[in-house]
Amino acid sequence: MSPARYALRRLVLGLLQVLTAASAVYALTEALPGDAAVVRAGDNPDPARIAALRDELGLNVSAFDGFTGWLAGIAHGDLGTSLASGRPVAQELARGLAPTALLAFGTLALVVPVAVLLGAAAAARERGLLDRGLTVVGVALYSVPEFALAVVLVAVFALHLGWLPATAVGAGSDLTAEPAFLVLPFVVLAIRPVCSLARLVRVGLLDAYASEHVRHARRLGLSSRRVLCRHALPGALAPAAQHLARTADWLLGGVVVVEAVFVVPGLGTALVDAVAARDVAVVQGLAVVFAATTVAVNLLADLAAFRLAPRAGVAT
C-alpha cells in the first residue's frame, strides 16, 4: 500500500473517530444533572429566574436541534459560546492553549531523546548493572500516579528544600518568563513516559541486534554507531513511534492533573472550571480539541511507523 493511500485511509478513519467522540461527549454533557442556569441562580434558586436564565442562555432547545446546530457550527470552525462568560469558546480555549501546549510539547521533546538514550544504553549492556538498575527504577517510578508524584516532589523540592516554586501562581500565561515554574510539572509529566518508552526501545534494539541483517552489518565490519543508527534503531523505533502516540494521548489527561496540582492556567484548568460552572459549551469544545489532537498525533505516529517499517504500518 502506498504512503498516500495509507494516509488517506487513516485520515478518513480519524475524522469518523472525532465525530464519534464529539457525539458521545455531547450526549454525556446533556445528561449531567443541573445546568449553567442553576449555577448562575445561586444557592437559593428561584424557579422563575432559572426559567428566564435558560431562555437567555438558549438551553430550552431540544437535544437534537442543539446537537445538529453544534455540529454545523463545528463544520464552520465555530465551537459555540461560553455559557459562563458569553465569549466564543474558541476565544476561551485560546487563553489556555499556550501553557498546555508548552507542557505537552515540551514534555515530548524531553521524553524522546532521554528514553532513546536510556533504552540504547540498557540494550548495549543487557543484563548488566545499568540494565538491571534502569529496570528496577523504571518499574518503581512508573507505578506512582502523577498526582502522588507531584505532591511528593512539591513537598521535597518546594516546601522542604525551597529550591523550586510549589505552584505557578503569579506566573501568568507566559510560563517561559519564569522557567523555574516549569521544572516540577515537566518532571511529573515526563517520568512515566520515559520509563515505558525506554523499555520499549531496549526490547526493540535487542530484537534488532539479534536479526540477520544487523548481524550481517557487523560481519562487514561497520562501526557500532553506524550499526545502531542505520540498521538497528529504525526498526526498533517503529513500535516506539506508535507508543509515543499513546503517550501523547496520556499527556492530554496528565496535563489536566498536573495543571490542577500546580495551578497552571491552561486547558486542564479551563476544563475543571467549566465542569464546576456547568459550562457545557466549553466542555464540548475542549472534547473536540482533545479528540482532534489525539487523532492527529496517532495519524502522524502511524505514518512514521509506516515509513520506518511498512509492513508493521499496514498491519495496524
Side-chain angles (χ1 to χ4, degrees), residues 6-252:
Y6 179 73
L8 180 60
R9 189 183 72 173
R10 296 295 297 168
L11 181 59
V12 172
L13 178 61
L15 291 175
L16 292 176
Q17 290 172 332
V18 172
L19 179 61
T20 301
S23 303
V25 169
Y26 188 91
L28 291 173
T29 52
E30 286 296 317
L32 287 174
D35 53 29
V38 175
V39 174
R40 281 196 181 188
D43 296 332
N44 298 309
D46 177 29
R49 174 169 168 74
I50 292 177
L53 285 172
R54 283 176 176 157
D55 287 333
E56 178 185 343
L57 297 174
L59 298 177
N60 288 328
V61 298
S62 67
F64 178 79
D65 291 339
F67 179 64
T68 53
W70 182 63
L71 286 183
I74 291 176
H76 293 86
D78 181 13
L79 296 177
T81 302
S82 169
L83 301 179
S85 66
R87 292 188 291 266
V89 171
Q91 183 178 337
E92 291 289 317
L93 300 188
R95 296 167 56 191
L97 180 60
T100 297
L102 178 62
L103 286 178
F105 289 107
T107 300
L108 287 177
L110 178 66
V111 164
V112 173
V114 172
V116 171
L117 288 175
L118 291 178
R125 298 165 178 80
E126 183 185 8
R127 300 184 185 279
L129 182 61
L130 177 62
D131 185 22
R132 295 178 185 275
L134 289 175
T135 299
V136 172
V137 174
V139 171
L141 291 176
Y142 188 83
S143 63
V144 181
E146 296 79 31
F147 69 88
L149 180 62
V151 171
V152 171
L153 292 180
V154 167
V156 174
F157 293 100
L159 301 182
H160 180 64
L161 298 176
W163 291 353
L164 297 166
T167 68
V169 173
S173 58
D174 185 11
L175 298 179
T176 57
E178 295 287 343
F181 287 109
L182 296 171
V183 175
L184 292 181
F186 273 147
V187 171
V188 173
L189 286 172
I191 280 183
R192 294 189 73 187
V194 164
C195 295
S196 59
L197 194 61
R199 296 301 298 170
L200 194 60
V201 171
R202 172 191 176 275
V203 172
L205 282 175
L206 291 178
D207 290 341
Y209 285 144
S211 64
E212 183 58 32
H213 75 279
V214 173
R215 289 179 178 177
H216 181 66
R218 284 176 165 173
R219 286 195 296 266
L220 292 176
L222 300 180
S223 66
S224 299
R225 178 178 297 180
R226 186 171 182 181
V227 170
L228 171 65
C229 297
R230 295 292 300 275
H231 299 278
L233 198 56
L237 290 182
Q242 292 176 313
H243 180 76
L244 189 62
R246 292 190 290 272
T247 299
D249 296 344
W250 171 84
L251 276 176
L252 293 178

